[in-house]
Amino acid sequence: MSHIDLSLGRKMMSREVFMGAFIFGVGGIATVVFGAPIVAYVLGPLLKQPTDVWRDIGAVSDWKVGETRHVIIEYPDQRSWAGPTRETASWVRRNEPGSVTQFTAFAVYCTHLGCPVQWLPIPTLFICPCHGSVFYGDGRVAGGPAPKPLFRYLTKVVGNRVFIKTEAVPLTT
Ligand code: FES
């Protein structure tokens, strides 16, 4: 009789151990699955690299006066998994002498839904290939559906070098 009781006790003990380990394991997995995004959300801003930095895009003499050129710019956020999304582009124009700034840099993104606009030197318009928005040479909307002018990056000239201030382009709506 005592032999049977011991065996039953061992079975119950092993079942309790198993259930405890199972609950502990499931609880641990649930903590990681649900906790990791929260930790990432809280700590993300601290680990994020700034994106609004001045970037050298070339020499002043690379542009003729009045010329608008397509320039690839990299965000400073160099996370390896970002791949090609680390790159964006700008249409950069060397202004006529006497203008407020020596250069003007437009974001390539259409303010409708973000397609990259194309510059047409003749007739000096930006055209969006997606839904047909048209922008004047100064970035103002000439024809919708785009609701706002093209976003402009800040520019400056230091010595003979042209700099553009990369920053997040505001949402279109
Ligand atoms: S994204 Fe440019 S017109 Fe729609």
Side-chain angles (χ1 to χ4, degrees), residues 2 87 107 132-133 142:
S2 65
E87 292 185 342
S133 285

Side-chain angles (χ1 to χ4, degrees), residues 110 112-115 128 130-133 145:
C110 175
H112 179 221
L113 293 176
C115 288
C128 179
C130 289
H131 312 104
S133 285

